[in-house]
Amino acid sequence: MERVTDGIHTEPGLSKGKTYRLNLVCAGSGSAQLEFVPANAGSKAAVPCDESVVQQRITADRLVRINVDGAKGATGVIAWQIDAL
């Protein structure tokens, strides 16, 4: 769990060739932006801070960096979890 103002900036140790599901939930106000580096098609997603769960599939073909940054004025916390599929 991270504060929206701090965001999430991580390079999880994923096994090459495996598929994972990233689950994000933001509780508070405003929104955040999810982005993967290197960027893949559909790699950006809005994360509303209304306790909705946002899911994104990840195929670990190479090192992946996950960035989630709060929009200006956003407050609250972001919880995240990565599950192998």
Side-chain angles (χ1 to χ4, degrees), residues 1 11 13 21 29 32 44 51 67 74:
M1 220 151 129
E11 292 177 355
R21 180 176 48 232
S29 64
K44 290 188 178 182
E51 300 180 29
N67 294 313

Side-chain angles (χ1 to χ4, degrees), residues 11-77:
E11 292 177 355
L14 305 177
S15 298
K16 187 173 181 171
K18 295 208 176 204
T19 302
Y20 299 85
R21 180 176 48 232
L22 170 65
N23 297 292
L24 290 167
V25 64
C26 183
S29 64
S31 65
Q33 181 75 31
L34 164 66
E35 180 179 21
F36 292 98
V37 178
N40 296 317
S43 66
K44 290 188 178 182
V47 181
C49 290
D50 62 359
E51 300 180 29
S52 297
V53 177
V54 173
Q55 296 181 334
Q56 182 79 36
R57 287 178 77 104
I58 304 168
T59 300
D61 293 331
R62 53 193 163 184
L63 182 67
V64 173
R65 181 167 178 82
I66 299 170
N67 294 313
V68 181
D69 292 302
K72 186 174 181 178
T75 61
V77 295

